[in-house]
Amino acid sequence: MYCLKFKIKINKKINKMKTKYFKCSLWLMMAAFAVTTAKAQTSVSGKTAYNGKEYISYDGVPNENGKQVERIQTDMDDKVYKMELVDGKMTELYVDGVKIPAGDWDKYSDAIAAIKEQIKRNKEQAKRNEEQARLNEIQQKKNEEQAVRNEEQARLNQVQEKKNEQQAVRNAEQARLNEIQAEKNQERVPKNEEQARLNEIQEKKNEEQAAKNEEQVARNQEQARRNEEQARLNEIQARKNELQAKENERLMKEIITDLVNDKIIPDENGLHDLTLNSDEMRVNGVKQPEDVFKKYKEKYNMSSQRSFSFHND
């Protein structure tokens, strides 16, 4: 089972930013909705989720007069947004119950883009959930087939147990025959003497092998010495890694302090995502102005070979 967490980020001149989290159950319902609309032709489905005083609702009509119609309502930054999309293009926009003329839509472009992007991600997740459900069904079938095989194996085990009992009887008979063979062996003493001579030859070969084994022991000791040296080097590297971790922690605290002082984030707990490299700077998914980017790039020495990223769920 998949659980989605819906996070909307809005940047208004980098001054006001809110992140809204919605209950996992909503996105399971949204996933179910996406699966249903993929199979229906004219059905209408609406989903609403509440989180305190915040909510979002989504209605999708797969085929209304030959067009795909979507109606969305959500609240963001203490405003209630309602919009209608026809074939992916917005045709109506209401803010706090007031219809916004098309000429003024650009004033709400950030909020509109964020809402549309989230709806897109929800649909994609719903498709992935449907595929996972299909795979789960296949796995369940395989499990059932395995259960049948296990049952057959249990039956074969019972058959084998019976064969083992029969083998025990044969072994007892073989023991009797072995006793008879021992008596015959006594009669083969001359042959045994010949075997003793051959054994002596083999013993000489064994002594030669023992010498080779001693050489192998020496090589093993040398390898042990190398392993010990490697362990020492590993310990040095571990200490270096520990120092690097402390330096990274210090650098992260310094960057967060700068972000708070520059009013990019409200406090030290307000940073969720950060990307800083030689090309751009993004804070909580928002690309920073050129002057802010240049300041941080120079201060933290971001070159084409160096970058910094941070993510905190």
Side-chain angles (χ1 to χ4, degrees), residues 6-11 76 83 108-121:
F6 183 15
K7 180 168 66 176
I8 301 177
K9 300 178 181 178
I10 301 299
N11 175 30
M76 185 181 303
M83 63 177 67
Y108 305 92
S109 59
D110 288 342
I112 293 170
I115 295 170
K116 292 171 69 176
E117 177 61 21
Q118 186 57 48
I119 294 301
K120 178 183 176 182
R121 288 197 293 268

PDB file of all heavy atoms in Angstrom, residues 6-11 76 83 108-121:
ATOM      1  N   PHE A   6       0.921  15.161   0.462  1.00  0.00           N
ATOM      2  CA  PHE A   6       0.764  16.248  -0.467  1.00  0.00           C
ATOM      3  C   PHE A   6       1.385  17.498   0.139  1.00  0.00           C
ATOM      4  O   PHE A   6       0.964  17.948   1.200  1.00  0.00           O
ATOM      5  CB  PHE A   6      -0.738  16.437  -0.723  1.00  0.00           C
ATOM      6  CG  PHE A   6      -1.073  17.506  -1.745  1.00  0.00           C
ATOM      7  CD1 PHE A   6      -0.103  18.006  -2.591  1.00  0.00           C
ATOM      8  CD2 PHE A   6      -2.366  17.960  -1.849  1.00  0.00           C
ATOM      9  CE1 PHE A   6      -0.432  18.955  -3.519  1.00  0.00           C
ATOM     10  CE2 PHE A   6      -2.698  18.913  -2.760  1.00  0.00           C
ATOM     11  CZ  PHE A   6      -1.728  19.418  -3.606  1.00  0.00           C
ATOM     12  N   LYS A   7       2.428  18.072  -0.526  1.00  0.00           N
ATOM     13  CA  LYS A   7       3.059  19.265  -0.020  1.00  0.00           C
ATOM     14  C   LYS A   7       3.022  20.328  -1.100  1.00  0.00           C
ATOM     15  O   LYS A   7       3.540  20.137  -2.181  1.00  0.00           O
ATOM     16  CB  LYS A   7       4.503  18.967   0.396  1.00  0.00           C
ATOM     17  CG  LYS A   7       5.237  20.161   0.942  1.00  0.00           C
ATOM     18  CD  LYS A   7       6.549  19.745   1.606  1.00  0.00           C
ATOM     19  CE  LYS A   7       7.520  19.194   0.591  1.00  0.00           C
ATOM     20  NZ  LYS A   7       8.812  18.891   1.220  1.00  0.00           N
ATOM     21  N   ILE A   8       2.361  21.494  -0.827  1.00  0.00           N
ATOM     22  CA  ILE A   8       2.265  22.599  -1.778  1.00  0.00           C
ATOM     23  C   ILE A   8       3.182  23.706  -1.305  1.00  0.00           C
ATOM     24  O   ILE A   8       3.129  24.116  -0.151  1.00  0.00           O
ATOM     25  CB  ILE A   8       0.830  23.130  -1.897  1.00  0.00           C
ATOM     26  CG1 ILE A   8      -0.101  22.001  -2.352  1.00  0.00           C
ATOM     27  CG2 ILE A   8       0.748  24.284  -2.861  1.00  0.00           C
ATOM     28  CD1 ILE A   8      -1.527  22.410  -2.418  1.00  0.00           C
ATOM     29  N   LYS A   9       4.042  24.223  -2.199  1.00  0.00           N
ATOM     30  CA  LYS A   9       4.919  25.324  -1.841  1.00  0.00           C
ATOM     31  C   LYS A   9       4.565  26.538  -2.698  1.00  0.00           C
ATOM     32  O   LYS A   9       4.505  26.446  -3.903  1.00  0.00           O
ATOM     33  CB  LYS A   9       6.381  24.942  -2.051  1.00  0.00           C
ATOM     34  CG  LYS A   9       6.829  23.736  -1.210  1.00  0.00           C
ATOM     35  CD  LYS A   9       8.257  23.393  -1.501  1.00  0.00           C
ATOM     36  CE  LYS A   9       8.674  22.185  -0.674  1.00  0.00           C
ATOM     37  NZ  LYS A   9      10.059  21.778  -0.976  1.00  0.00           N
ATOM     38  N   ILE A  10       4.346  27.683  -2.084  1.00  0.00           N
ATOM     39  CA  ILE A  10       4.026  28.923  -2.786  1.00  0.00           C
ATOM     40  C   ILE A  10       5.049  29.969  -2.389  1.00  0.00           C
ATOM     41  O   ILE A  10       5.336  30.156  -1.217  1.00  0.00           O
ATOM     42  CB  ILE A  10       2.619  29.415  -2.436  1.00  0.00           C
ATOM     43  CG1 ILE A  10       1.598  28.348  -2.812  1.00  0.00           C
ATOM     44  CG2 ILE A  10       2.299  30.705  -3.163  1.00  0.00           C
ATOM     45  CD1 ILE A  10       1.561  28.009  -4.259  1.00  0.00           C
ATOM     46  N   ASN A  11       5.624  30.666  -3.369  1.00  0.00           N
ATOM     47  CA  ASN A  11       6.574  31.733  -3.092  1.00  0.00           C
ATOM     48  C   ASN A  11       5.980  33.040  -3.581  1.00  0.00           C
ATOM     49  O   ASN A  11       5.692  33.197  -4.743  1.00  0.00           O
ATOM     50  CB  ASN A  11       7.903  31.456  -3.798  1.00  0.00           C
ATOM     51  CG  ASN A  11       8.883  32.598  -3.643  1.00  0.00           C
ATOM     52  OD1 ASN A  11       8.836  33.297  -2.631  1.00  0.00           O
ATOM     53  ND2 ASN A  11       9.745  32.784  -4.623  1.00  0.00           N
ATOM     54  N   MET A  76      -5.108  28.288   0.580  1.00  0.00           N
ATOM     55  CA  MET A  76      -3.672  28.485   0.586  1.00  0.00           C
ATOM     56  C   MET A  76      -3.385  29.926   1.001  1.00  0.00           C
ATOM     57  O   MET A  76      -3.986  30.865   0.473  1.00  0.00           O
ATOM     58  CB  MET A  76      -3.135  28.203  -0.830  1.00  0.00           C
ATOM     59  CG  MET A  76      -1.631  28.240  -0.964  1.00  0.00           C
ATOM     60  SD  MET A  76      -1.203  27.929  -2.683  1.00  0.00           S
ATOM     61  CE  MET A  76      -1.983  26.347  -2.935  1.00  0.00           C
ATOM     62  N   MET A  83     -10.933  26.711  -9.117  1.00  0.00           N
ATOM     63  CA  MET A  83     -10.613  26.856 -10.535  1.00  0.00           C
ATOM     64  C   MET A  83     -11.258  25.730 -11.334  1.00  0.00           C
ATOM     65  O   MET A  83     -11.531  24.651 -10.791  1.00  0.00           O
ATOM     66  CB  MET A  83      -9.091  26.884 -10.755  1.00  0.00           C
ATOM     67  CG  MET A  83      -8.375  25.609 -10.346  1.00  0.00           C
ATOM     68  SD  MET A  83      -6.608  25.673 -10.720  1.00  0.00           S
ATOM     69  CE  MET A  83      -6.095  26.948  -9.597  1.00  0.00           C
ATOM     70  N   TYR A 108      -1.871  35.479  -9.726  1.00  0.00           N
ATOM     71  CA  TYR A 108      -1.969  34.254  -8.924  1.00  0.00           C
ATOM     72  C   TYR A 108      -1.232  33.092  -9.605  1.00  0.00           C
ATOM     73  O   TYR A 108      -1.511  31.925  -9.342  1.00  0.00           O
ATOM     74  CB  TYR A 108      -3.442  33.879  -8.718  1.00  0.00           C
ATOM     75  CG  TYR A 108      -4.256  34.990  -8.113  1.00  0.00           C
ATOM     76  CD1 TYR A 108      -4.939  35.910  -8.915  1.00  0.00           C
ATOM     77  CD2 TYR A 108      -4.324  35.132  -6.735  1.00  0.00           C
ATOM     78  CE1 TYR A 108      -5.677  36.941  -8.353  1.00  0.00           C
ATOM     79  CE2 TYR A 108      -5.062  36.163  -6.168  1.00  0.00           C
ATOM     80  CZ  TYR A 108      -5.744  37.067  -6.972  1.00  0.00           C
ATOM     81  OH  TYR A 108      -6.469  38.070  -6.401  1.00  0.00           O
ATOM     82  N   SER A 109      -0.276  33.438 -10.473  1.00  0.00           N
ATOM     83  CA  SER A 109       0.373  32.387 -11.262  1.00  0.00           C
ATOM     84  C   SER A 109       1.109  31.371 -10.404  1.00  0.00           C
ATOM     85  O   SER A 109       1.111  30.171 -10.697  1.00  0.00           O
ATOM     86  CB  SER A 109       1.346  33.029 -12.266  1.00  0.00           C
ATOM     87  OG  SER A 109       2.336  33.788 -11.572  1.00  0.00           O
ATOM     88  N   ASP A 110       1.750  31.834  -9.316  1.00  0.00           N
ATOM     89  CA  ASP A 110       2.500  30.889  -8.463  1.00  0.00           C
ATOM     90  C   ASP A 110       1.562  29.878  -7.824  1.00  0.00           C
ATOM     91  O   ASP A 110       1.835  28.667  -7.797  1.00  0.00           O
ATOM     92  CB  ASP A 110       3.270  31.644  -7.375  1.00  0.00           C
ATOM     93  CG  ASP A 110       4.456  32.409  -7.956  1.00  0.00           C
ATOM     94  OD1 ASP A 110       4.863  32.086  -9.090  1.00  0.00           O
ATOM     95  OD2 ASP A 110       4.971  33.311  -7.278  1.00  0.00           O
ATOM     96  N   ALA A 111       0.453  30.371  -7.255  1.00  0.00           N
ATOM     97  CA  ALA A 111      -0.500  29.470  -6.598  1.00  0.00           C
ATOM     98  C   ALA A 111      -1.121  28.511  -7.612  1.00  0.00           C
ATOM     99  O   ALA A 111      -1.260  27.313  -7.351  1.00  0.00           O
ATOM    100  CB  ALA A 111      -1.589  30.273  -5.904  1.00  0.00           C
ATOM    101  N   ILE A 112      -1.485  29.028  -8.778  1.00  0.00           N
ATOM    102  CA  ILE A 112      -2.101  28.187  -9.824  1.00  0.00           C
ATOM    103  C   ILE A 112      -1.136  27.094 -10.260  1.00  0.00           C
ATOM    104  O   ILE A 112      -1.492  25.920 -10.353  1.00  0.00           O
ATOM    105  CB  ILE A 112      -2.520  29.056 -11.027  1.00  0.00           C
ATOM    106  CG1 ILE A 112      -3.653  30.011 -10.629  1.00  0.00           C
ATOM    107  CG2 ILE A 112      -2.941  28.181 -12.200  1.00  0.00           C
ATOM    108  CD1 ILE A 112      -3.953  31.065 -11.670  1.00  0.00           C
ATOM    109  N   ALA A 113       0.126  27.476 -10.492  1.00  0.00           N
ATOM    110  CA  ALA A 113       1.118  26.490 -10.933  1.00  0.00           C
ATOM    111  C   ALA A 113       1.330  25.413  -9.878  1.00  0.00           C
ATOM    112  O   ALA A 113       1.446  24.232 -10.191  1.00  0.00           O
ATOM    113  CB  ALA A 113       2.439  27.194 -11.254  1.00  0.00           C
ATOM    114  N   ALA A 114       1.380  25.837  -8.606  1.00  0.00           N
ATOM    115  CA  ALA A 114       1.608  24.857  -7.537  1.00  0.00           C
ATOM    116  C   ALA A 114       0.459  23.864  -7.445  1.00  0.00           C
ATOM    117  O   ALA A 114       0.667  22.660  -7.273  1.00  0.00           O
ATOM    118  CB  ALA A 114       1.795  25.581  -6.203  1.00  0.00           C
ATOM    119  N   ILE A 115      -0.765  24.356  -7.538  1.00  0.00           N
ATOM    120  CA  ILE A 115      -1.939  23.478  -7.430  1.00  0.00           C
ATOM    121  C   ILE A 115      -1.995  22.509  -8.621  1.00  0.00           C
ATOM    122  O   ILE A 115      -2.200  21.302  -8.458  1.00  0.00           O
ATOM    123  CB  ILE A 115      -3.223  24.312  -7.340  1.00  0.00           C
ATOM    124  CG1 ILE A 115      -3.229  25.123  -6.036  1.00  0.00           C
ATOM    125  CG2 ILE A 115      -4.461  23.434  -7.401  1.00  0.00           C
ATOM    126  CD1 ILE A 115      -4.331  26.150  -5.957  1.00  0.00           C
ATOM    127  N   LYS A 116      -1.781  23.017  -9.823  1.00  0.00           N
ATOM    128  CA  LYS A 116      -1.827  22.169 -11.012  1.00  0.00           C
ATOM    129  C   LYS A 116      -0.716  21.104 -10.980  1.00  0.00           C
ATOM    130  O   LYS A 116      -0.926  19.963 -11.366  1.00  0.00           O
ATOM    131  CB  LYS A 116      -1.715  23.021 -12.277  1.00  0.00           C
ATOM    132  CG  LYS A 116      -2.933  23.901 -12.506  1.00  0.00           C
ATOM    133  CD  LYS A 116      -2.738  24.893 -13.637  1.00  0.00           C
ATOM    134  CE  LYS A 116      -2.671  24.233 -14.988  1.00  0.00           C
ATOM    135  NZ  LYS A 116      -2.578  25.215 -16.082  1.00  0.00           N
ATOM    136  N   GLU A 117       0.451  21.514 -10.509  1.00  0.00           N
ATOM    137  CA  GLU A 117       1.558  20.561 -10.426  1.00  0.00           C
ATOM    138  C   GLU A 117       1.242  19.438  -9.452  1.00  0.00           C
ATOM    139  O   GLU A 117       1.552  18.262  -9.699  1.00  0.00           O
ATOM    140  CB  GLU A 117       2.837  21.282  -9.996  1.00  0.00           C
ATOM    141  CG  GLU A 117       4.042  20.368  -9.796  1.00  0.00           C
ATOM    142  CD  GLU A 117       4.448  19.622 -11.048  1.00  0.00           C
ATOM    143  OE1 GLU A 117       4.086  20.067 -12.158  1.00  0.00           O
ATOM    144  OE2 GLU A 117       5.114  18.573 -10.924  1.00  0.00           O
ATOM    145  N   GLN A 118       0.614  19.778  -8.309  1.00  0.00           N
ATOM    146  CA  GLN A 118       0.304  18.744  -7.319  1.00  0.00           C
ATOM    147  C   GLN A 118      -0.736  17.766  -7.853  1.00  0.00           C
ATOM    148  O   GLN A 118      -0.645  16.556  -7.643  1.00  0.00           O
ATOM    149  CB  GLN A 118      -0.191  19.374  -6.016  1.00  0.00           C
ATOM    150  CG  GLN A 118      -0.386  18.363  -4.904  1.00  0.00           C
ATOM    151  CD  GLN A 118       0.878  17.576  -4.606  1.00  0.00           C
ATOM    152  OE1 GLN A 118       1.930  18.171  -4.456  1.00  0.00           O
ATOM    153  NE2 GLN A 118       0.782  16.265  -4.525  1.00  0.00           N
ATOM    154  N   ILE A 119      -1.749  18.296  -8.541  1.00  0.00           N
ATOM    155  CA  ILE A 119      -2.775  17.422  -9.133  1.00  0.00           C
ATOM    156  C   ILE A 119      -2.122  16.468 -10.143  1.00  0.00           C
ATOM    157  O   ILE A 119      -2.429  15.280 -10.198  1.00  0.00           O
ATOM    158  CB  ILE A 119      -3.868  18.262  -9.805  1.00  0.00           C
ATOM    159  CG1 ILE A 119      -4.637  19.059  -8.743  1.00  0.00           C
ATOM    160  CG2 ILE A 119      -4.828  17.367 -10.564  1.00  0.00           C
ATOM    161  CD1 ILE A 119      -5.309  18.213  -7.690  1.00  0.00           C
ATOM    162  N   LYS A 120      -1.148  16.992 -10.925  1.00  0.00           N
ATOM    163  CA  LYS A 120      -0.433  16.147 -11.885  1.00  0.00           C
ATOM    164  C   LYS A 120       0.312  15.022 -11.180  1.00  0.00           C
ATOM    165  O   LYS A 120       0.266  13.864 -11.598  1.00  0.00           O
ATOM    166  CB  LYS A 120       0.554  17.005 -12.680  1.00  0.00           C
ATOM    167  CG  LYS A 120       1.393  16.211 -13.668  1.00  0.00           C
ATOM    168  CD  LYS A 120       2.396  17.111 -14.370  1.00  0.00           C
ATOM    169  CE  LYS A 120       3.304  16.304 -15.294  1.00  0.00           C
ATOM    170  NZ  LYS A 120       4.324  17.178 -15.939  1.00  0.00           N
ATOM    171  N   ARG A 121       1.012  15.370 -10.063  1.00  0.00           N
ATOM    172  CA  ARG A 121       1.752  14.341  -9.325  1.00  0.00           C
ATOM    173  C   ARG A 121       0.807  13.299  -8.742  1.00  0.00           C
ATOM    174  O   ARG A 121       1.133  12.111  -8.688  1.00  0.00           O
ATOM    175  CB  ARG A 121       2.595  14.984  -8.223  1.00  0.00           C
ATOM    176  CG  ARG A 121       3.811  15.757  -8.750  1.00  0.00           C
ATOM    177  CD  ARG A 121       4.819  16.014  -7.628  1.00  0.00           C
ATOM    178  NE  ARG A 121       4.299  16.918  -6.625  1.00  0.00           N
ATOM    179  CZ  ARG A 121       4.468  18.229  -6.631  1.00  0.00           C
ATOM    180  NH1 ARG A 121       5.166  18.789  -7.603  1.00  0.00           N
ATOM    181  NH2 ARG A 121       3.970  18.986  -5.682  1.00  0.00           N
TER     182      ARG A 121
END
